[in-house]
Each structure stands twice: as C-alpha cells, then as structure tokens.
C-alpha cells in the first residue's frame, strides 16, 4: 500500500515500527530429552561453501551423524547431496560406529520425505529399502521443529568452529582424512552435557556394544542412471563423456558411479570401467576402445581400397595375395597402389603388375619403378598427381574446357609486331 502512495523504500523500516507495537510471542519451554545408549542418532547436511575441482565449481556439503547418547560425531564431506551420497554417508557412519542405531531422526528433506500431510508421511522408497536392510527406523521430526534434532544442529556449529575454520586441505580426499581424524580425536575429548565427569570417548565405548550389528552383506550404494549412446562411442555422465565399445552405439546403457569409478553396463554386463572425473567437458577414454574403433575403420578402408583395385586392375588381387604370404603390410601396400592409380591408368598398372609377378619382385617399389621406365621409353613427361583441398564444395564444381586456338591467334599477332629495337 505504501508503494501505491509513492513510497520508494524497503519494508525493513515498517518491520521495526510494527515490532514496537506488536506483542512478542510467548516464550516456549522445552523438555530436556534423554535417550538410552544405542537408541537414537540424528542426521543432517551442512553447507560449507563451494570447492573448485579443475574447471568446475562444486557445492561442498558435510554429512553429519551424531549418536544422541554419547554425542559421538561422524563427519564426511561430499561434492553434492544426491541420494547415493546420502546413503553412502549412513554406511560410512555405521562402519565408524561399528553398529547401527535403532532410530534415526531427520529433517523433512527430499532424500527422506517425498510428501507429508500431517502425520501421514510418504517416505523416499530408496531410504526405506536402505533402512530395512540395516533394521533401523527412519523418523522425520515435525515440520519447522529443528529443536527436535538439536544435537546434530549443535554438532554442525561445533564442526564449523572447531574443525573447518581456517583449515587447509588439498582436495576432498585429504579433507575427509582430516575429518576422520577429528571424529576419533579432538571431538572425543569433549565432556558430556548430561554427565560432565565423562568424555564422549568414554560414553561411546559404553554405547557401542548396544548398537545393532552391521549386516553381513553391505548395501550397494551407487549413483545409477541411464545414458544414450549416439553416433560416437561415448556416454554423457555428470557433464563428462566416457568411452564405451564402438559396437554399442545407438543403445541405451546403464551408468553406475561411486566416488572413484564409473561403470557402464548393458543388461547387467559391464562394458567399461573408468576413473570418475569431477571436472566438466572432459573426455575420459579407454585406449582399448579407441584402438578397436580405429582398427575397424582401417579394416573397412582397407577392404574398400582392395575392392577398388580389384575392379580396376584384376592382377592386383594375385599381387596382394603373394605380398601377404611374404608378410607384407597390406594396408600400406594398398594405399601406395591407390596413389599410383591416381597418376597412371589401369592398363599400365596391370601391365606393371604382370611383369612384377613374372620376375617375382613382389613389392610396391618395383611397380613404381616399372611404371617410370615405361613412361621414359614412351618419351612421356613424368605424371604429376593432382591434390585438391579437402573442400566438399569443390566436388560439385564443373569446369568447362575452352578451345586453345585463341592463344594461337595471340601468338601470331605477336610475331607480326615490329621489333622495338628496329625503331632506333
């Protein structure tokens, strides 16, 4: 309304005025929550700015899990917060604790709650499968009730000041190694709020035997997606291209990625395994895939060249067969014969091949020598191969030849002109 009357300021001024006359909300009292050993843990993400990896900028996120009784902290950093990393954080925390809490408290983040209407909760099915595998109960707190998981909230603030502030590290791997040392070192020296005579380490030693045992078979935690292979043997994943065998072009493949590797599968069969790249716009190639594609192209080019030679020069088939029996390189020999075909006609090539087969000189140098001798005997100028630029538009040009009699007329006119020296 104030803007309609011409006010050009911001609403901060009015908030201050209204706050002076509006009665403050009544203070709310909270009970101090007590939990039993091994009963509960609290989980949350923490945002810690951005981290550059090569030419790409990533969001740096901290996965934090705190045992509610002993206050034992688990901390690891990841470049993102997608579901596979969320489950991986759980799995690594359980490995550190050497057990599983019976109840895990969460915010209403999408990795846990897809939809909520009052007490009716639509859980993320991936989390439910993971929880069923480890036999714990996922329990979201009430909406906008962050105080219900205050232990993990305070732990994140503690991590910001006691661990992350002014810390130097090379990469995420180095940062996580330091974080693990922090979890098993400095953070365990704290005193328990409910019992100042005990440290976190001492309380954790009491709580560890009361946790649920780890499952015998680890839960497969991978980032899974599908990717289409176009005309080139690459699949796009996380803004980078990874090679696949060239005979899989035009297919839809499955990509499974961990923190360190990228696997590409078709119907459960692993086609390629690459180290994971965290930059963008990079080509991650397996030399075997590229070599196989080049070999196929070379073989196809060789077969086309041999077929063209056999159609124009029939004796080339016998010549190349004897050359192969002697261990010669068919690829280079075919390319050399095609270059000679660009300079000499087919009849001369066939005659040179016949003479080489007759004398048993089965190599391309002999063919070139015989062709040169034949042209010298006929008193012909040496042939010159014409090389045109690789411009596709030149293939559609049509050049109209002109009669050269006009040049003869110019020559006659020059002969009839007087010699300039005769004028002096």
């Amino acid at each position: 309304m104030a803007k309609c009357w011409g006010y050009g300021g911001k609403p901060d001024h009015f908030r201050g005025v209204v706050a002076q006359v509006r009665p403050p909300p009544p203070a709310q009292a909270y009970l101090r929550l007590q939990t039993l050993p091994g009963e509960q843990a609290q989980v949350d993400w923490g945002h810690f700015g951005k981290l550059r990896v090569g030419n790409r900028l990533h969001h740096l996120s901290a996965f934090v899990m705190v045992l509610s009784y002993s206050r034992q902290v688990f901390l690891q950093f990841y470049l993102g917060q997608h579901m596979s990393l969320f489950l991986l954080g759980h799995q690594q925390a359980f490995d550190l604790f050497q057990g599983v809490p019976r109840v895990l408290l969460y915010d209403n983040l999408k990795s846990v709650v897809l939809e909520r209407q009052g007490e009716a909760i639509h859980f993320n099915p991936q989390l439910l499968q993971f929880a069923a595998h480890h036999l714990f109960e996922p329990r979201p707190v009430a909406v906008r009730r962050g105080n219900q998981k205050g232990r993990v909230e305070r732990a994140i603030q503690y991590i910001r000041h006691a661990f992350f502030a002014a810390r130097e590290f090379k990469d995420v791997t180095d940062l996580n190694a330091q974080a693990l040392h922090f979890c098993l070192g400095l953070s365990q020296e704290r005193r328990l709020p409910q019992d100042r005579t005990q440290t976190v380490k001492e309380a954790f030693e009491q709580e560890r035997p009361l946790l649920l045992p780890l499952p015998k078979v680890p839960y497969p935690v991978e980032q899974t997606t599908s990717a289409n292979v176009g005309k080139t043997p690459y699949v796009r994943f996380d803004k980078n291209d990874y090679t696949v065998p060239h005979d899989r072009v035009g297919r839809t493949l499955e990509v499974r990625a961990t923190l360190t590797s990228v696997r590409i599968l078709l119907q459960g069969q692993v086609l390629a395994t690459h180290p994971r790249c965290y930059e963008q716009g990079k080509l991650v190639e397996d030399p075997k895939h590229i070599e196989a594609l080049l070999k196929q192209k070379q073989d196809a080019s060789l077969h086309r060249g041999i077929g063209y030679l056999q159609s124009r020069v029939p004796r080339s088939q016998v010549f190349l067969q004897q050359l192969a029996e002697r261990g010669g390189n068919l690829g280079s020999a075919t390319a050399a014969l095609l270059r000679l075909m660009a300079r000499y006609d087919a009849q001369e090539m066939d005659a040179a091949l016949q003479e080489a087969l007759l004398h048993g000189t089965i190599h391309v140098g002999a063919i070139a020598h015989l062709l040169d001798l034949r042209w010298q005997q006929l008193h012909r100028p040496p042939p010159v191969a014409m090389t045109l630029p690789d411009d596709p538009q030149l293939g559609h040009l049509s050049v109209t030849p002109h009669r050269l009699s006009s040049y003869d007329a110019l020559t006659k006119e020059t002969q009839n002109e007087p010699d300039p020296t005769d004028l002096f």
Side-chain angles (χ1 to χ4, degrees):
M1 182 65 70
K3 286 188 176 293
C4 297
W5 294 341
Y7 177 71
K10 296 182 178 180
D12 298 344
H13 171 72
F14 294 98
R15 289 197 182 104
V17 174
V18 172
Q20 295 176 5
V21 297
R22 174 180 291 171
Q28 190 173 0
Y30 298 96
L31 292 174
R32 183 181 294 272
L33 299 178
Q34 299 292 337
T35 57
L36 298 175
E39 177 188 1
Q40 183 191 99
Q42 300 182 7
V43 182
D44 203 357
W45 284 108
H47 298 273
F48 284 77
K50 296 183 179 181
L51 179 66
R52 179 169 295 279
V53 180
N55 63 353
R56 185 175 176 185
L57 199 62
H58 293 266
H59 290 278
L60 183 63
S61 299
F63 177 88
V64 182
M65 182 183 292
V66 181
L67 294 176
S68 297
Y69 174 78
S70 65
R71 304 299 204 276
Q72 175 62 51
V73 174
F74 170 80
L75 168 65
Q76 285 286 277
F77 291 88
Y78 304 108
L79 301 178
Q81 296 184 3
H82 51 79
M83 191 64 189
S84 63
L85 295 178
F86 189 62
L87 299 182
L88 178 62
H90 284 73
Q91 200 170 69
Q92 292 179 334
F94 298 156
D95 291 339
L96 178 69
F97 299 154
Q98 300 179 15
V100 182
R102 289 167 174 76
V103 177
L104 266 66
L105 292 186
Y106 301 96
D107 258 340
N108 291 272
L109 63 164
K110 290 297 183 182
S111 300
V112 180
V113 178
L114 297 181
E115 188 179 4
R116 183 166 187 163
Q117 295 293 334
E119 297 298 325
I121 300 174
H122 180 196
F123 283 94
N124 190 313
Q126 290 182 267
L127 178 67
L128 289 182
Q129 293 176 5
F130 183 82
H133 185 82
H134 292 84
L135 303 179
F136 70 85
E137 176 193 349
R139 184 182 298 173
V141 300
V143 179
R144 293 186 293 275
R145 289 294 185 270
N147 60 286
Q148 296 183 4
K149 57 179 189 62
R151 288 174 172 85
V152 70
E153 297 287 351
R154 288 191 295 272
I156 292 176
Q157 294 301 320
Y158 170 66
I159 289 168
R160 293 187 189 278
H161 297 95
F163 173 76
F164 193 76
R167 181 163 296 272
E168 296 181 355
F169 53 92
K170 298 178 182 179
D171 50 25
V172 180
T173 303
D174 180 34
L175 179 61
N176 282 331
Q178 297 182 43
L180 185 61
H181 185 267
F182 170 78
C183 293
L184 300 177
L186 180 63
S187 70
Q188 289 188 334
E189 299 175 3
R190 295 172 294 150
R191 293 288 174 178
L192 288 181
Q194 68 271 22
D195 185 1
R196 306 300 295 180
T197 63
Q198 277 190 316
T199 64
V200 170
K201 184 176 182 179
E202 294 170 348
F204 178 56
E205 292 299 329
Q206 299 173 11
E207 185 175 22
R208 180 184 297 172
L210 301 176
L211 296 171
L212 296 174
L214 293 171
K216 296 181 179 180
V217 180
Y219 188 88
V221 178
E222 292 179 313
Q223 185 178 356
T224 305
T225 185
S226 60
N228 296 322
V229 186
K231 296 181 179 179
T232 57
Y234 294 89
V235 297
R236 174 63 60 88
F237 172 73
D238 195 22
K239 301 183 179 181
N240 295 293
D241 292 328
Y242 297 83
T243 56
V244 296
H246 65 273
D247 57 350
R248 303 300 179 180
V249 295
R251 305 291 294 271
T252 299
L253 305 180
E254 182 184 10
V255 180
R256 297 181 181 177
T258 64
L259 292 179
T260 57
S261 66
V262 174
R263 294 189 303 154
I264 304 169
L265 303 89
L266 176 62
Q267 297 178 353
Q269 178 186 1
V270 179
L271 303 179
T273 302
H274 298 278
R276 183 162 183 176
C277 178
Y278 286 94
E279 299 187 48
Q280 63 180 0
K282 298 294 183 180
L283 296 178
V284 183
E285 298 177 335
D286 186 341
K288 295 180 181 179
H289 297 158
I290 304 302
E291 291 172 3
L293 178 58
L294 291 175
K295 186 177 184 303
Q296 184 203 36
K297 293 297 183 181
Q298 291 172 356
D299 292 344
S301 177
L302 175 63
H303 294 321
R304 286 195 297 269
I306 292 175
Y308 177 74
L309 282 174
Q310 291 178 1
S311 64
R312 299 292 304 277
V313 185
R315 286 188 175 86
S316 63
Q317 180 178 4
V318 181
F319 177 83
L320 292 174
Q321 182 178 356
Q322 294 188 13
L323 180 67
E325 292 174 355
R326 299 186 180 194
N329 190 322
L330 287 181
S332 60
T334 303
L337 291 176
L338 289 173
R339 288 194 296 269
L340 291 175
M341 282 284 296
R343 298 168 58 188
Y344 303 94
D345 58 37
Q347 294 180 353
E348 292 171 343
M349 284 281 297
D350 196 63
L353 288 169
Q354 182 181 8
E355 188 173 352
L357 291 170
L358 182 63
H359 293 87
T361 53
I362 312 300
H363 53 87
V364 180
I367 306 300
H369 178 66
L370 292 173
L371 289 170
D372 289 339
L373 286 179
R374 184 174 179 84
W375 275 65
Q376 290 177 10
Q377 293 172 1
L378 297 176
H379 303 288
R380 294 180 180 177
V384 178
M386 182 178 296
T387 303
L388 296 176
D390 296 333
D391 190 347
Q393 296 181 355
L394 296 178
H396 303 288
L397 294 179
S398 178
V399 179
T400 304
H402 297 279
R403 298 173 62 89
L404 301 180
S405 58
S406 58
Y407 293 98
D408 295 336
L410 293 175
T411 304
K412 292 179 181 179
E413 292 178 2
T414 304
Q415 292 176 354
N416 294 332
E417 291 181 357
D419 191 351
T421 57
D422 296 340
L423 301 176
F424 299 95

